[in-house]
Amino acid sequence: MIFYGMRTFVKQLGYMYQTALCGSCQAQVRQAVIREWSWFTLFFIPLIPLWKSYFVVCPNCGKKTKIKKRDAKSMIMQ
Ligand SMILES: [Zn+2]
């Protein structure tokens, strides 16, 4: 029997350099920028990297909004 599947690793890249209004909870917050990296796994071992997605996450309500990679880089505090 072969066990295969997908696993996603989440890394917090930083915080936005300025606060933004959350579209969900209407809070003016400094949102976190995260990267989700999905891997194909075989017998629970990550073997093949599939895709990376970038999001901003509201720390108040947890709403995730997908963003582009180049936007993620320019949004993060240096
Ligand atoms: Zn929110």
Side-chain angles (χ1 to χ4, degrees):
M1 197 158 178
I2 298 176
F3 291 98
Y4 65 93
M6 207 179 80
R7 196 167 158 193
T8 302
F9 298 91
V10 179
K11 186 182 183 195
Q12 184 165 325
L13 302 175
Y15 285 92
M16 288 172 71
Y17 60 88
Q18 60 187 11
T19 60
L21 188 69
C22 174
S24 179
C25 67
Q26 308 300 317
Q28 186 78 25
V29 287
R30 194 181 291 278
Q31 303 202 8
V33 180
I34 63 162
R35 183 189 70 198
E36 290 189 357
W37 197 356
S38 299
W39 286 69
F40 173 79
T41 61
L42 193 62
F43 295 104
F44 310 105
I45 300 165
L47 275 189
I48 306 167
L50 297 175
W51 57 80
K52 290 178 185 174
S53 308
Y54 294 81
F55 298 90
V56 289
V57 182
C58 173
N60 195 39
C61 67
K63 181 183 167 56
K64 273 198 325 194
T65 307
K66 194 167 185 177
I67 55 172
K68 292 194 179 87
K69 181 181 181 181
R70 94 178 112 85
D71 292 339
K73 292 218 164 126
S74 62
M75 277 177 179
I76 297 169
M77 275 192 295
Q78 299 303 313

